[in-house]
């Protein structure tokens, strides 16, 4: 397999810091301090409610609520249930932030990112602790090559073999996808959906293989293509450093790769997983 350039940023440094010099100790200490203060606040609010009810009033929540307006708040629920929910919500946000700073999301395809975010919605997410952070990101660091390669494989497997241009054995110099664009009386428009995600995945993989920074979703190829289509509603062609994209009224798009040496690296990954797919190169 051709060596990959800049497949991922370093996840851990000296086993004490997560990428961006964010101290694990500071995160864990801050998390525990915040939860302790929240628990104290819940106890105090419960004491206030006991007092206000004893003198003929309602709970602290009712006293502080704007007229004819109510919303849910865990601070006014029973302490055990409230602390469980609040802890889970805080840990979920911390894990998201750590993952974003680690750089691992840039290696994941859309399906892997969705799986990660869905895992954080479960009730049994791991508590944010030094041990859990270290073990999680050490494992992610070990798996980063496999994560990236799995993304390449998923994009390849998602191609339709109904088009002769799409080879079932390799990434050709041009691929055809359906449903990337739409066309109406006002001209072309870019669709939302999995084909859009797949195009963003392709660009991210090529940029990583080229050793260049991965653009975020505010500047990736789908954003640039969408802006181009919006500004040129009757054009059917877009170009950048990685792709030439020609799109048609029926919604299909022909994506031509402009960097054959990077395409070769992606095909090397396919050979690694499917040794009989391509003949060996001399």
């Amino acid at each position: 397999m051709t060596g990959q350039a800049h497949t991922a940023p370093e996840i851990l440094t000296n086993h004490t810091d997560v990428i961006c010099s964010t101290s694990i100790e500071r995160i864990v200490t801050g998390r525990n301090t915040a939860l302790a203060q929240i628990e104290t606040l819940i106890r105090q609010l419960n004491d206030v409610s006991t007092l206000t009810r004893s003198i003929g009033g309602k709970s602290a929540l009712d006293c502080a609520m704007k007229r004819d307006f109510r919303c849910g708040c865990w601070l006014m629920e029973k302490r055990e249930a409230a602390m469980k929910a609040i802890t889970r919500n805080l840990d979920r946000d911390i894990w998201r932030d750590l993952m974003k700073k680690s750089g691992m999301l840039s290696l994941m395809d859309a399906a892997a990112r969705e799986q990660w975010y869905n895992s954080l919605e479960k009730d049994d997410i791991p508590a944010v602790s030094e041990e859990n952070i270290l073990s999680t990101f050490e494992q992610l660091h070990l798996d980063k090559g496999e994560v990236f390669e799995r993304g390449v494989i998923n994009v390849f497997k998602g191609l339709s073999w109904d088009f002769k241009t799409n080879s079932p054995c390799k990434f050709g110099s041009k691929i055809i996808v359906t449903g990337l664009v739409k066309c109406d009386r006002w001209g072309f428009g870019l669709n939302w959906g999995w084909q859009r995600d797949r195009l963003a995945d392709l660009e991210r993989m090529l940029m990583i293989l080229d050793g260049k920074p991965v653009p975020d979703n505010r500047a990736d190829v789908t954003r640039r293509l969408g802006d181009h289509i919006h500004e040129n509603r009757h054009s059917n062609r877009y170009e950048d450093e990685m792709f030439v994209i020609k799109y048609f009224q029926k919604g299909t798009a022909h994506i031509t790769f402009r960097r054959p040496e990077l395409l070769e690296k992606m095909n090397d990954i396919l050979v690694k997983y499917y040794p009989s797919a391509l003949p060996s190169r001399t």
Side-chain angles (χ1 to χ4, degrees), residues 55-208:
I55 58 176
K58 295 183 178 180
S59 70
L61 176 62
D62 291 309
C63 295
M65 192 65 60
K66 293 181 179 180
R67 288 295 179 184
D68 302 321
F69 181 82
R70 294 184 64 88
C71 63
C73 178
W74 282 110
L75 291 175
M76 301 304 301
E77 301 294 336
K78 292 184 178 179
R79 183 179 59 83
E80 183 176 351
M83 287 307 301
K84 181 178 180 181
I86 292 171
T87 300
R88 185 172 61 246
N89 290 340
L90 179 60
D91 285 351
R92 181 182 294 119
D93 288 341
I94 293 174
W95 281 119
R96 284 178 180 145
D97 187 62
L98 287 171
M99 193 66 163
K100 180 180 179 180
K101 290 175 177 175
S102 75
M104 284 300 300
L105 289 175
S106 67
L107 298 178
M108 296 180 175
D109 65 322
R113 291 195 301 274
E114 182 179 9
Q115 182 180 9
W116 163 259
Y117 285 124
N118 286 343
S119 70
L120 293 180
E121 297 303 320
K122 297 179 180 179
D123 291 338
D124 58 347
I125 62 174
V128 172
S129 66
E130 182 172 351
E131 179 182 1
N132 285 341
I133 292 174
L134 286 173
S135 62
T136 297
F137 284 95
E138 283 176 341
Q139 189 61 49
L140 286 171
H141 184 70
L142 291 173
D143 294 343
K144 66 181 186 293
E146 181 181 346
V147 169
F148 174 77
E149 292 173 356
R150 189 164 58 241
V152 175
I153 298 300
N154 286 341
V155 170
F156 177 73
K157 289 169 64 176
L159 295 176
S160 171
W161 312 129
D162 293 337
F163 301 102
K164 292 182 179 180
T165 300
N166 294 344
S167 168
C169 299
K170 64 177 182 178
F171 283 104
S173 61
K174 180 174 75 174
I175 60 175
I176 299 176
V177 299
T178 60
L180 182 63
V181 298
K182 58 185 176 182
C183 187
D184 53 31
R185 60 179 177 172
W186 294 284
F188 285 101
L190 185 63
N191 280 327
W192 289 93
W194 57 279
Q195 289 290 25
R196 184 179 181 133
D197 292 339
R198 179 170 297 153
L199 179 59
D201 286 341
L202 272 174
E203 180 189 45
R204 188 178 64 257
M205 294 164 187
L206 292 171
M207 296 296 281
I208 290 172

Side-chain angles (χ1 to χ4, degrees), residues 11-30:
I11 304 300
L12 296 173
T13 305
N14 297 327
H15 299 286
T16 58
D17 293 336
V18 176
I19 196 168
C20 299
S21 301
T22 302
S23 168
I24 293 177
E25 181 180 0
R26 182 179 66 83
I27 292 171
V28 174
T29 300

